[in-house]
Amino acid sequence: RRPDPLRTCSQPHGEVHLVALDVSPADPLPVSAADDAARMAALLARLAAPMPDPLAGMKPEVPGSGSGSHRPALSSTLGDLARKRLIRVISGYRLPQLPAGTLRAWTADSVSSHCLAGVDLLALTTAVPGAALTAPDDVVFTSTGTPHAVVDTEGGSVVAYPARILRVSQTASCSPRAIAATINELRPGTGIGKWRSWRVPLVSGSRREVEDVMTRIQAWEDQTRTRLAQIGELRRLATRSVTSGAVRFAAADCTHPEPAPVDEKGQ
């Protein structure tokens, strides 16, 4: 049986999504037209299914009278937060090439793609005895090239250098998800070693409420990323099979019900 060209990818908020692997026309695996047609039909069914609304039943509103002017958000640099011990930045490990496995691993590439890799636990403990893993809600970020960040909701992942862990204190008026979102908005070329100068927002109200809203927004992004991956695979399959004439798209069969009988009064 031909391997499934989709693999699972753990997202920052803990859900599992599908990410397309290479199914280019140069795929060396023998593939039948029926396989491609079945796969495209499955993808079309997934794409046609409605996406759940993570913010259903919620609406933005201004507390109080709603007539007040917009207050500027408070912010601080990561360096100041680190000096006050409100955050802790931990360097990733310089890992050798490790065999694939079930232990989740954040690399610079996986942080930028929001897609966890997997390494063998025994191989990791042999290479790096006592390797520390992420805690729930740690921010994993990179500062080389274009900065990227994700929130590791579940924790229990190893982080490979040059990625780093940013751990927010439970007593800090900071939202890990707001920090990650701010890092992802930084311009390319910020440069390694400059993360201490990055300004991130502080939470003026309830940190729990901020985290809840940011988590729901992240769920929208993750769903959209999954849809885009499915569309990308559908396009690659069509490039291989539809352009060659091996598969064609025909109008779906539709059966129309017989019209109801009409009496003499037209009812």
Side-chain angles (χ1 to χ4, degrees):
R1 180 181 175 183
R2 170 178 171 245
D4 190 337
L6 290 182
R7 62 187 176 93
T8 59
C9 172
S10 298
Q11 297 295 322
H13 67 286
E15 294 183 1
V16 175
H17 294 274
L18 298 172
V19 176
L21 296 178
D22 182 25
V23 286
S24 65
D27 192 339
L29 294 176
V31 179
S32 70
D35 287 337
D36 277 358
R39 187 64 197 161
M40 285 190 283
L43 286 167
L44 289 171
R46 293 177 184 176
L47 290 167
M51 291 195 299
D53 181 359
L55 286 162
M58 303 181 70
K59 65 177 182 178
E61 60 183 18
V62 180
S65 64
S67 59
S69 60
H70 189 284
R71 293 176 298 176
L74 300 176
S75 66
S76 179
T77 64
L78 292 181
D80 286 340
L81 294 174
R83 281 190 291 273
K84 295 175 183 177
R85 298 186 178 181
L86 295 175
I87 66 167
R88 181 186 175 196
V89 175
I90 307 166
S91 180
Y93 294 100
R94 296 183 182 273
L95 299 178
Q97 188 70 30
L98 298 174
T102 57
L103 178 68
R104 293 170 298 176
W106 288 109
T107 65
D109 288 341
S110 62
V111 171
S112 63
S113 65
H114 289 225
C115 180
L116 275 164
V119 297
D120 182 74
L121 175 59
L122 180 60
L124 173 67
T125 54
T126 301
V128 187
L133 305 178
T134 58
D137 287 347
D138 274 351
V139 178
V140 184
F141 74 97
T142 61
S143 58
T144 56
T146 301
H148 295 285
V150 297
V151 176
D152 190 343
T153 302
E154 297 180 7
S157 308
V158 66
V159 175
Y161 182 85
R164 292 180 171 88
I165 299 171
L166 190 157
R167 184 165 296 163
V168 180
S169 169
Q170 293 296 324
T171 61
S173 297
C174 302
S175 160
R177 286 162 181 81
I179 290 176
T182 302
I183 293 174
N184 286 324
E185 292 294 327
L186 293 174
R187 295 188 303 271
T190 302
I192 188 170
K194 296 183 180 179
W195 61 264
R196 293 174 181 82
S197 66
W198 296 348
R199 298 199 71 86
V200 296
L202 301 179
V203 176
S204 299
S206 168
R207 172 173 163 175
R208 179 177 297 180
E209 289 182 7
V210 172
E211 285 290 276
D212 179 63
V213 171
M214 298 299 291
T215 299
R216 292 171 184 268
I217 295 173
Q218 181 64 53
W220 266 121
E221 182 178 353
D222 293 340
Q223 289 182 122
T224 304
R225 185 179 292 110
T226 298
R227 290 291 176 104
L228 289 173
Q230 292 169 346
I231 293 170
E233 187 194 0
L234 181 65
R235 181 185 296 112
R236 289 189 291 272
L237 287 168
T239 301
R240 175 172 64 197
S241 296
V242 178
T243 57
S244 68
V247 176
R248 60 185 290 266
F249 275 69
D253 293 333
C254 297
T255 57
H256 299 282
E258 292 291 332
V262 180
D263 59 22
E264 295 179 355
K265 295 181 180 181
Q267 298 178 344

